[in-house]
Amino acid sequence: MRVTGDQALVKKLNKSIVLDTIRRKGPLSRTDVSERTGLNKATVSNLTTELLEQQLVEETGPGQSSGGRKPLMLLFNAAAGCAVGIELGVTAVKAALTDLRGRILLERSAPLADHDPESAFAAIREVTAPLLEAAPHTPYGLIGIGIGVPGMVDEDGVILYAPNLGWEGVDLKSRLEAEFGVSVVVDNEANAGAAGEREYGAGRHVRHLVYVSAGMGIGSGMIIDGQLYKGAWGYAGETGHMSIESDGRLCSCGSRGCWELYASERAYAYADGLEQAEPARDMPVLTTRELTERASLGDAGTLAMYAEIGRRLGIGITNLVNGFNPEKIVVGGPLTEAKAWIEPAMLAEIAQRALPYHRRELAVSFSELGSRSAALGAAHLAVSQFLGRVRVSL
Ligand SMILES: [Zn+2]
């Protein structure tokens, strides 16, 4: 039989729909899959047979019968392979070995003392090597590596601009692929975090989600109608550079009054008060860990600073809420360690400022995955790319 390209494409699409349905909603019977996808039973049955042969789906004991023989249930086989998710941060590199469902098998991290690409590459190798050694024996082995980076990434995975690392035009993807011999997905850290929260954390079942990552800057990952929104050229989400003060502090991006100067760890550099226009250069810049210790001891200056950071976070989030009308906002990143002192002022500001219709069914929460959202999300990006390559036989 001659098979046209269209038939192959349709089959591939149907197969990925069946696989995705089993992955997200399983255990399901073949009839359940047919009802949920609208594909006829014969098609589902054929595709399921292939997926079973490929070990991506497995059968478990009989489910509930609606009369007659009890059906066998289908489950996604999360143990068919494993993935590595990496977050390249400004101060540390974190990596996690996961199964295909984001269950963490092993984690490693290493401090990042120097920001040149060679040092970063060495740190990535240091955290990744032990994970690869410990990876269990699985049908597909290591299916890929995902990495979230603090900067703008183009469609080819080249890091165009990462101001906090001082990088321009670094092709991390090719380097890592040559080193590890698997396909590598590079994305912005906030996009990776958004994917992590949507897949495994506070954003599950949410179709319109804005993930705000607050650390040494602010970036956002926007999921619109279930899809990560990347903009025309992949640079969307640089919300840390929205101005919230028209003549405010001067930013390294060349603009003034950028959100991240007031509502991220960058605000710590303006320790004499948030009215200050220039950072206090001689001030030792304290870390979030040190400052949250002070806050927990009731230090008045630190408490006031966090309340103000919370208020400013709320102002920027209000702009995102009014602009995008999301169902849910998830705040993640290192600043969430200070959640207890930030959250009240942040929520009060959103309640006071956001438009009433936008606010009515809005949920605002902090990350469920804590500091792991970007690494887990990066692992998911690799898994998702792998599942997208699933073969069809005709
Ligand atoms: Zn800026």
Side-chain angles (χ1 to χ4, degrees), residues 14-22 28 30-41 43-44 47:
N14 288 344
K15 192 169 175 181
S16 66
I17 290 167
V18 168
L19 179 57
D20 200 54
T21 305
I22 296 169
L28 295 174
R30 287 166 175 77
T31 310
D32 296 333
V33 175
S34 165
E35 281 166 7
R36 282 174 186 266
T37 59
L39 295 166
N40 69 47
K41 280 188 192 173
T43 304
V44 169
L47 296 173

Side-chain angles (χ1 to χ4, degrees), residues 374-387:
L376 272 174
H380 173 71
L381 295 175
V383 170
S384 167
Q385 196 187 64
F386 163 71
L387 295 178

Side-chain angles (χ1 to χ4, degrees), residues 245-265:
E245 286 284 347
S246 58
D247 299 308
R249 296 169 181 169
L250 186 62
C251 182
S252 58
C253 76
S255 181
R256 278 190 177 276
C258 292
W259 187 25
E260 65 180 33
L261 301 180
Y262 300 85
S264 75
E265 291 173 323

